[in-house]
Amino acid sequence: HQGFGASAVLISPSSTHSKYVARLAFKATNNIAEYEGIVLGLNKAKALGAQKILVKINSQIIAKQVEKEYTAREPELIKYLATVRALKRRF
């Protein structure tokens, strides 16, 4: 309940839910926490052998940045966006 965190829930084709949580060791905005959650989920999905994924996210801003409908302007978010796009190519 103290500090900042990110989470991801992976749902397998058989509807098995796997929940992952990470405590962030730095001060984070909501957008950064959302990106950290995506990175966490993509890395876990790949480690579990996923070949195809569907990502759902609460933040419309982040979703539209990833889908190239919006442009990230903050330097830190630009770096996260590049990371997420690179991870997406692994699927």
Side-chain angles (χ1 to χ4, degrees):
H1 295 287
Q2 294 178 340
F4 302 88
S7 64
V9 177
L10 303 182
I11 305 171
S12 72
S14 63
S15 295
T16 301
H17 288 62
S18 299
K19 299 175 184 179
Y20 300 92
V21 179
R23 177 170 283 189
L24 304 178
F26 55 90
K27 191 172 184 177
T29 64
N30 286 344
N31 288 340
I32 289 173
E34 292 283 353
Y35 269 117
E36 285 284 345
I38 296 171
V39 170
L40 174 65
L42 292 173
N43 281 325
K44 291 295 183 181
K46 195 60 177 175
L48 292 169
Q51 297 176 359
K52 184 177 178 182
I53 59 168
L54 171 65
V55 176
K56 293 188 178 184
I57 184 170
N58 292 336
S59 172
Q60 183 179 8
I61 291 170
I62 303 303
K64 290 189 181 267
Q65 287 176 353
V66 172
E67 294 301 316
K68 300 179 182 177
E69 294 178 37
Y70 289 175
T71 302
R73 294 192 185 348
E74 296 175 39
E76 198 163 12
L77 295 184
I78 291 169
K79 290 177 189 176
Y80 275 107
L81 181 55
T83 299
V84 168
R85 287 185 180 156
L87 289 170
K88 277 180 52 176
R89 288 192 292 270
R90 295 171 44 195
F91 295 92

